[in-house]
Amino acid sequence: MAQEVQQENKMGILPVPKLLFQMALPVIISMLIQALYNVVDSMFVAKINENALTAVSLVFPVQNLLIAISAGTGVGINSLLSRSLGAKEFKRANDAALNGIFLALISSVIFAVVGVLAAGPFFSFQTTDPEIHKYGVQYMTVICALCVGVFMQITFERLLQSTGKTLFTMISQGTGAIINIIFDPILIFGLFGFPEMGVIGAAVATVAGQIFGMFLGLFFNLKFNHELRLSLRGFRPRLSIIKGIYAVGVPSIIMQAIGSVMTFGMNKILMQFTSTAAAVFGVYFKLNSFVFMPIFGLNNAMVPIVAYNYGARQRKRIMHTIRLSIITAVCFMLVGIACFVFIPDVLLGIFEASENMLAIGVPALRTICISFVFAGPCIILSSVFQALGNGLYSLWISFARQLVVILPAAYILAQCFGLAAVWWSIPLAELVSISLTLLLFQRIYRQKLANL
């Protein structure tokens, strides 16, 4: 019993550096494995041909929307559950978990139906190339039809993170990613007696890893997450709990979904020059995941710590966590900048880059990475807003960055100065974003933290 009480309260008593990195390190490792399988997926698809890589890149907005809904709902679950634990409201915490699982299941069914039906029209709108169209519809259909894996995997991982058991999230996510990496070449090229499935094989390998991670996450919650009792016996959806989840979750969903709109719009702008430019943009997202995924892992650990200590009214611990998270994020970003500036040709070579792709991609990566300077602190502070129940602030920032600045700037630069200028829209947007973020953080500090 004493051990359970200590586990329950560790977010309020352990030294902040030890707590943050103890919780963040497993998630960061699992996120890096996740980034690795994203790169490996595209690396093997690129070996089919450049059109296959372009097709998978064009599906990225759909995959991003899928993750936006599942991860955004997870942020709402995480925030409500952690705040409830911090305030010692254990029944409310358990209700948050059960209603979160219910929402993930309903969302996966809706997304599967809509995604499969929309695959053909989605690609008809983007390209007239029949091969890109065929590859894209194949990949998108499989990803959407079996999306229950990613919805439930993310939900179960958020439950573990909310109670401080991030080691298990590393195992479930990492194992799913490794399965994807192993089965990618096997199913794409038909090794060891398996049929050669091409782009469909890449999609099947992805969803197989997600479904395995889902079952592993469920097992860890049932076996080790003693703060929660995940029994559906007598379960009824509770509107008040669902509202509490979506109060934080919906702004987060919209915020990440805006990224899908931005990516879709950028692909349309880039495709007017050449499909290779869209492939470069897709490759950029795969590569930058090695820089951003660790920061998102840090966020996943930071949110329950900030939320718990806000519920416990511990301002000093909150501010210590925020400062340490920002410093860590900036260090990750500096490493990313160094890689994008000094070895962009090596990075693009991973994806069988042609001379044309290198000519477009090398200056693109060097230009875009300027935005990393501002992105790290912005990501951390946006998650602080979510942890404190002000997810709407994060939404405003994302909307300003990706729709108000990036897309209009990219369109104007494309029309006036050509393809090479389009990439400057991203650093410009990030500069606007960090300015707005700092103003909003000053506001929320005065309203919620200063008087704790």
Side-chain angles (χ1 to χ4, degrees), residues 182-191 194-198 201-202 204-205:
I182 292 171
F183 277 95
D184 255 331
I186 292 174
L187 297 180
I188 291 173
F189 304 115
L191 308 178
F194 283 84
E196 182 178 346
M197 301 172 69
V204 171

Side-chain angles (χ1 to χ4, degrees), residues 37 39-49 52 56 135 139 180-192 194-206:
Y37 99 69
V39 168
V40 170
D41 204 47
S42 293
M43 183 181 75
F44 284 116
V45 167
K47 292 182 181 296
I48 299 173
N49 57 47
V56 171
Y135 286 146
Y139 191 84
N180 187 344
I181 292 170
I182 292 171
F183 277 95
D184 255 331
I186 292 174
L187 297 180
I188 291 173
F189 304 115
L191 308 178
F192 308 116
F194 283 84
E196 182 178 346
M197 301 172 69
V199 169
I200 295 176
V204 171
T206 296

Side-chain angles (χ1 to χ4, degrees), residues 379-434:
I379 292 170
I380 296 296
L381 292 177
S382 291
S383 293
V384 171
F385 300 153
Q386 294 166 0
L388 297 177
N390 288 71
L392 193 60
Y393 285 4
S394 301
L395 173 59
W396 292 347
I397 295 163
S398 184
F399 184 84
R401 178 175 64 244
Q402 301 192 82
L403 297 187
V404 175
V405 181
I406 286 184
L407 284 183
Y411 179 79
I412 293 169
L413 290 170
Q415 298 303 313
C416 297
F417 304 106
L419 175 59
V422 171
W423 313 114
W424 283 99
S425 62
I426 298 176
L428 175 62
E430 212 62 61
L431 180 60
V432 172
S433 177
I434 190 61

Side-chain angles (χ1 to χ4, degrees), residues 283 287 338-355 357-366:
V283 165
L287 292 172
C339 293
F340 275 51
V341 168
F342 295 113
I343 55 168
D345 51 340
V346 175
L347 298 176
L348 290 166
I350 297 171
F351 303 92
E352 307 290 324
S354 62
E355 289 298 321
M357 190 172 181
L358 286 171
I360 296 172
V362 168
L365 294 185
R366 286 177 173 159

Side-chain angles (χ1 to χ4, degrees), residues 105 185 239 246 264 268 381 415 447 450:
L105 285 171
L239 187 59
Y246 280 140
F264 180 80
K268 287 290 291 180
L381 292 177
Q415 298 303 313
Q447 291 179 342

Side-chain angles (χ1 to χ4, degrees), residues 21 37 85 93 127 136 141 143 148 154 164 251 256 291 338 432:
F21 292 116
Y37 99 69
L85 288 176
T127 181
T141 299
I143 292 293
V148 66
I154 288 175
Q256 295 182 68
V291 183
V432 172

Side-chain angles (χ1 to χ4, degrees), residues 323-346:
R323 284 192 294 268
L324 189 57
S325 298
I326 289 175
I327 292 169
T328 307
V330 169
C331 291
F332 279 120
M333 287 300 184
L334 291 176
V335 173
I337 291 172
C339 293
F340 275 51
V341 168
F342 295 113
I343 55 168
D345 51 340
V346 175

